[in-house]
Amino acid sequence: GQNIDQPTEMTATEGAIVQINCTYQTSGFNGLFWYQQHAGEAPTFLSYNVLDGLEEKGRFSSFLSRSKGYSYLLLKELQMKDSASYLCAVRDSNYQLIWGAGTKLIIKP
Amino acid sequence: IAGITQAPTSQILAAGRRMTLRCTQDMRHNAMYWYRQDLGLGLRLIHYSNTAGTTGKGEVPDGYSVSRANTDDFPLTLASAVPSQTSVYFCASSVAGNNEQFFGPGTRLTVL
């Protein structure tokens, strides 16, 4: 079967750095997405990786290793507004997105 | 309309009733999707449409139907609602099947 694993919850301090991991086992691979979802709101797109390596976008970076079935989202200079759930999703061989359950990130002052 | 909208925002429904959730986008995106999101689970795809006039089944299609008569609208119908269909429903769209998806604000549905 297809599986996306992420930690259920993480806690970090304002101003610090946090890394959210995602491992996947899917039938085929056509890219990996990270989305942010604030409580009670819709998911919004953060990043996309299809090749191995690091993609940097401001305070957020996303890394992919296809051989290891692994990705991480790195958030720097954490702000209180970064408190949200972070969803990892993999596009499979049918070009459908398989979603992880999400990681709830709690930022403390 | 700016982006993608859904209606209603929330609904309480008696079991056995028929219900249509509406989704409209003005971005001229070809592909549209319906997901349900339940606590502790990832988003699960119900149905999708790669272009107007075509639809396909996702991971959890049973009890749901969709139509795509035009580019902008993608309604989701529950023919006879059951309590297990209590969930938050998100509609999404993308330029094509291999692009990022944009999500509507969601419909919170409770079936009693």
Side-chain angles (χ1 to χ4, degrees):
Chain A
Q2 307 204 89
N3 197 46
I4 311 284
D5 284 321
Q6 308 177 231
T8 303
E9 187 175 296
M10 299 181 70
T11 302
T13 304
E14 190 177 15
I17 299 173
V18 70
Q19 178 176 311
I20 302 174
N21 296 325
C22 171
T23 58
Y24 62 89
Q25 290 179 309
T26 56
S27 57
F29 178 85
N30 284 296
L32 185 143
F33 295 79
W34 283 97
Y35 280 75
Q36 181 189 59
Q37 185 177 25
H38 285 101
E41 298 183 7
T44 55
F45 171 78
L46 283 179
S47 69
Y48 171 67
N49 296 70
V50 66
L51 299 176
D52 289 352
L54 189 68
E55 294 282 342
E56 297 186 83
K57 190 185 295 185
R59 294 189 299 114
F60 292 6
S61 302
S62 57
F63 171 83
L64 174 67
S65 169
R66 289 172 296 171
S67 63
K68 295 182 179 178
Y70 168 70
S71 172
Y72 67 73
L73 181 69
L74 192 71
L75 292 75
K76 303 176 184 176
E77 301 170 14
L78 286 169
Q79 303 175 9
M80 297 304 293
K81 67 179 182 179
D82 297 330
S83 291
S85 288
Y86 292 85
L87 314 181
C88 174
V90 172
R91 193 161 55 206
D92 69 8
S93 56
N94 294 319
Y95 280 85
Q96 299 298 339
L97 284 182
I98 310 301
W99 295 81
T103 298
K104 183 179 181 181
L105 179 63
I106 300 168
I107 310 296
K108 296 186 175 180
Chain B
I1 297 177
I4 184 166
T5 60
Q6 294 183 233
T9 302
S10 64
Q11 182 75 44
I12 299 174
L13 189 66
R17 297 296 295 269
R18 180 184 179 88
M19 175 75 191
T20 295
L21 308 185
R22 300 184 297 278
C23 175
T24 299
Q25 53 101 1
D26 66 354
M27 298 177 285
R28 307 305 293 171
H29 285 175
N30 287 317
M32 296 187 75
Y33 314 86
W34 274 106
Y35 291 96
R36 59 179 291 173
Q37 188 175 40
D38 301 290
L39 195 64
L41 300 176
L43 288 161
R44 292 183 291 169
L45 182 65
I46 304 170
H47 285 286
Y48 66 93
S49 169
N50 287 329
T51 189
T54 69
T55 62
K57 293 182 179 180
E59 179 186 357
V60 289
D62 294 344
Y64 305 95
S65 64
V66 291
S67 61
R68 186 87 184 277
N70 56 61
T71 298
D72 298 346
D73 301 299
F74 191 42
L76 176 74
T77 297
L78 289 68
S80 179
V82 295
S84 62
Q85 292 178 311
T86 293
S87 187
V88 179
Y89 291 86
F90 285 103
C91 179
S93 70
S94 62
V95 172
N98 59 344
N99 295 96
E100 68 184 87
Q101 296 181 10
F102 294 84
F103 284 79
T107 294
R108 184 173 296 275
L109 182 68
T110 302
V111 182
L112 301 175

